Amino acid sequence: SVLSGTGDFGVSVVVAPDGTIVMASTRNESSSLTSAMLTAFSSAGTQSWQTRYVINGAKTASTKVVLRGSGELLLLGYFTNGTGQNMFLNSVNLQDGSLLSTKSWGNASSFLAPADISVRTSSGELGIAGQTLTTFPTGTSGASHSFVLDLDASGTQRWVHEFAATPTTLATLSVAFLTNGDLLAGGVISSDSPAIFVSGLGTTAHSHSGLWRLNGADGSIASTKEFY
């Protein structure tokens, strides 16, 4: 987590159709406070605006910025809440960085670590992938596992898929829409228990990659592919 680090961290960049470049980063405001920051530049590299967001006076960090339509930025990130960590999504005006709306998930007992966000161009629907130590979004503590959250264009939850924590520890790190509305989630499976036999490697327990296709209607797993 960058919340315990020092310095400023650039984490994501998006380019608008008019050539505007927007970078998301996390800025250290002090030894005890960080902010999620967006900085916009013209196509020539001249800074147009810069704005910082601090949620509830807590340490706040950026994960990714994406563009929806021609004038709306979506900034995904997280912030501390008591002993927990929550997730937020800001809707931001591309022209001046003004905040249009904000939405958050979690409570003081939650731990949510968002990793990626994708926009379905045809509808404005959103897919968010991340990792959690609790049942999404406000459950009790448990084993580390992952989630994919689907929101309609207004930000209302359509469904959430939580991957089982056992027998593997899994982290979904990226998400993308297919043209039919299904979602692809890519990530890492950090261990295999029991150990599995892999051709050329023998019987072993190790990290490997996974790709999951989720049904766009309800989030059920349509297919799975694991890479060794």
Side-chain angles (χ1 to χ4, degrees):
S1 169
V2 300
L3 297 181
S4 59
T6 58
D8 296 344
F9 301 81
V11 295
S12 178
V13 65
V14 66
V15 181
D18 66 358
T20 299
I21 303 163
V22 180
M23 184 177 71
S25 57
T26 298
R27 176 185 175 91
N28 276 270
E29 302 291 347
S30 69
S31 59
S32 60
L33 182 65
T34 60
S35 65
M37 184 167 69
L38 289 177
T39 307
F41 304 90
S42 70
S43 57
T46 303
Q47 182 174 313
S48 306
W49 52 261
Q50 185 178 84
T51 187
R52 302 195 293 273
Y53 308 97
V54 174
I55 309 294
N56 299 333
K59 290 183 175 181
T60 306
S62 300
T63 297
K64 188 170 183 180
V65 62
V66 295
L67 183 70
R68 180 163 63 174
S70 59
E72 181 191 17
L73 295 165
L74 295 169
L75 175 64
L76 179 68
Y78 55 97
F79 62 97
T80 56
N81 181 1
T83 59
Q85 180 174 290
N86 296 177
M87 179 173 77
F88 76 88
L89 182 65
N90 283 357
S91 171
V92 177
N93 189 316
L94 173 64
Q95 299 305 312
D96 59 10
S98 58
L99 182 65
L100 301 174
S101 65
T102 187
K103 188 174 181 66
S104 63
W105 294 262
N107 58 24
S109 300
S110 304
F111 183 90
L112 302 174
D116 193 23
I117 181 171
S118 180
V119 179
R120 188 181 182 191
T121 305
S122 62
S123 65
E125 182 183 344
L126 303 175
I128 297 174
Q131 193 170 7
T132 178
L133 297 178
T134 58
T135 303
F136 185 92
T138 57
T140 56
S141 296
S144 175
H145 64 285
S146 284
F147 66 88
V148 173
L149 172 67
D150 185 274
L151 307 173
D152 67 18
S154 68
T156 300
Q157 179 177 315
R158 296 181 65 244
W159 51 260
V160 62
H161 181 93
E162 294 190 68
F163 294 85
T166 56
T168 58
T169 299
L170 179 151
T172 46
L173 303 176
S174 61
V175 64
F177 279 99
L178 295 172
T179 54
N180 72 341
D182 286 358
L183 277 160
L184 290 177
V188 60
I189 299 171
S190 64
S191 62
D192 295 286
S193 180
I196 58 175
F197 181 83
V198 180
S199 179
L201 297 177
T203 302
T204 183
H206 67 291
S207 298
H208 60 281
S209 298
L211 181 66
W212 298 266
R213 181 170 181 161
L214 304 180
N215 188 305
D218 59 11
S220 59
I221 295 181
S223 62
T224 300
K225 178 72 174 177
E226 297 185 30
F227 305 88
Y228 300 94

